[in-house]
Amino acid sequence: MKYILDTSGEALLKGARAGVYLLKPNLGELATLCGVETISFLELESIAQTFLKNNPCEVLVVSLGPQGAVMLTAQSVDYISAPIVYQKSTIGAGDSMVAGMVHALAQGKSLSEMVKYGVACGTAATMTDGTQLCKRKDVEELNDWISSNSNTSQKIKINA
Ligand SMILES: Nc1ncnc2c1ncn2[C@@H]1O[C@H](COP(=O)(O)OP(=O)(O)OP(=O)(O)O)[C@@H](O)[C@H]1O
Ligand SMILES: [Mg+2]
C-alpha cells in the first residue's frame, strides 16, 4: 500500500510524520512542514532535501503553480516547467495534479512520467472555468508537449 498525501496545516504535519510514499505540498505547505515562514526558489532545493532526509517520505513533489513542479527523491531532483496556457481558473489545479499522478502510478508509469502527467493535469485544470475539471484532450496535448520538450532538467545526486 502506497500513501499519497495532499493536505495542509495540522493534518499535513501529522501525516508527514506518520510516513507516506509521496507528499505533494505547494511552497506554503512545504514552509509549514519545515517550520519556516517562506521559502524562496534559491533555497527550495536544499530545504526540500533536508526535509526528505529527516522524514519518512520517499517522493516529494513540490508544486509551484505557474512554474510547474519540482520532484525530489533520495537520488534525484527533477524540475518540470508548466506550459504557458490561456488560464481561466486555478481552482482544483492541485487536486487535478494529484489525481493525474495517482493515475500514472496506477498504470505503472515511472516517477518521471508520473510528475509530468501530474503537471499536465494541473495545468489543464486551469484551462477550464471555475470548478470544472480538466479535459482529457488538453491533458494529453500538454503531456505530449511536456514529455517531448527539453524543458525539464534532472540532477542526479552522486554522493547522496
Ligand atoms: N497559472 C498556472 N499556469 C499553468 N499551470 C498551473 C497554473 N497554476 C497551477 N498550475 C498547474 O497546477 C499544478 C498545481 O498547482 P499549485 O502549485 O497551484 O497547487 P496548489 O497550491 O496545491 O493548488 P490548490 O489550491 O488547487 O490546492 C502546478 O504544478 C501546475 O502544473
Ligand atoms: Mg493544494
Side-chain angles (χ1 to χ4, degrees), residues 26-154:
N26 58 25
L27 268 187
E29 289 154 0
L30 182 65
T32 304
L33 278 171
C34 299
V36 295
E37 285 276 303
T38 54
I39 298 177
S40 79
F41 274 29
L42 284 179
E43 56 199 4
L44 168 60
E45 204 175 305
S46 67
I47 286 181
Q49 275 165 344
T50 305
F51 172 82
L52 264 188
K53 272 196 201 110
N54 297 329
N55 288 275
C57 165
E58 271 184 58
V59 185
L60 182 64
V61 176
V62 184
S63 66
L64 307 170
Q67 267 86 42
V70 55
M71 176 177 74
L72 299 100
T73 68
Q75 287 82 33
S76 65
V77 185
D78 277 276
Y79 287 89
I80 298 91
S81 300
I84 297 166
V85 296
Y86 178 66
Q87 184 191 307
K88 289 192 172 162
S89 156
T90 57
I91 298 172
D95 288 350
S96 299
M97 178 187 208
V98 173
M101 293 195 296
V102 169
H103 180 64
L105 281 179
Q107 288 188 316
K109 300 261 200 266
S110 68
L111 285 179
S112 166
E113 290 170 313
M114 172 204 78
V115 69
K116 287 174 188 163
Y117 198 73
V119 169
C121 289
T123 300
T126 72
M127 296 168 69
T128 55
D129 281 317
T131 55
Q132 270 182 53
L133 298 176
C134 55
K135 299 202 174 90
R136 180 180 283 264
K137 185 172 169 290
D138 293 336
V139 171
E140 299 307 335
E141 277 177 15
L142 292 174
N143 189 49
D144 287 349
W145 187 88
I146 293 167
S147 304
S148 64
N149 233 283
S150 54
N151 76 333
T152 58
S153 60
Q154 184 179 43

